[in-house]
Amino acid sequence: MSTLPNCPKCQSEYVYEDGNLLICPECAYEWMPGSTEEHDETGMPEIKDANGNVLQDGDSVTVIKDLKVKGSSNPLKMGTKVKSIRLVDGDHNIDCKIDGFGAMQLKSEFVKKI
């Protein structure tokens, strides 16, 4: 009988295999065994900016290229400063509020830490 690792998010021992994924029934976290993805103490993957710096909640960042904004005729210009970011799980992993645009989600590869 093979022993499965505890869940990296909640440390539950009740992990099971589903195909090539491991799944935790307690917190619904899914991951591939032996993945090289780095995680912080909360179990969320480390989110890095375009230069490879690790981002944290509350950091200030700068947009590194012009970004088109859905529903707006004006792009988000390169050099725009974004204060007090919040990291979230998903494709767009930064939640923030930008003056003149309002609440937005950004991808970490288009920002650099100030």
Side-chain angles (χ1 to χ4, degrees):
M1 182 172 153
S2 67
T3 58
L4 296 174
N6 289 350
C7 174
K9 190 170 185 182
C10 70
Q11 299 303 318
S12 170
E13 60 186 32
Y14 303 110
V15 173
Y16 65 92
E17 287 182 288
D18 184 18
N20 59 352
L21 290 177
L22 295 177
I23 301 174
C24 175
E26 292 185 11
C27 68
Y29 185 67
E30 300 178 359
W31 74 99
M32 294 189 70
S35 68
T36 59
E37 198 173 64
E38 298 177 30
H39 292 80
D40 63 9
E41 60 276 355
T42 63
M44 208 168 130
E46 283 187 339
I47 298 174
K48 297 181 179 182
D49 70 358
N51 295 335
N53 299 318
V54 177
L55 297 173
Q56 296 177 348
D57 285 346
D59 282 346
S60 293
V61 295
T62 303
V63 178
I64 62 169
K65 67 180 254 180
D66 289 353
L67 299 173
K68 293 181 181 179
V69 179
K70 279 189 179 178
S72 174
S73 59
N74 299 329
L76 186 59
K77 296 286 187 180
M78 178 176 71
T80 302
K81 293 182 182 177
V82 181
K83 299 177 184 175
S84 300
I85 64 170
R86 188 170 57 103
L87 302 177
V88 294
D89 225 0
D91 185 32
H92 290 73
N93 43 18
I94 297 174
D95 271 346
C96 59
K97 288 185 182 176
I98 300 175
D99 292 337
F101 284 94
M104 296 192 75
Q105 289 187 326
L106 299 171
K107 291 186 176 186
S108 60
E109 64 247 27
F110 299 123
V111 299
K112 69 177 181 178
K113 191 172 181 177
I114 297 176

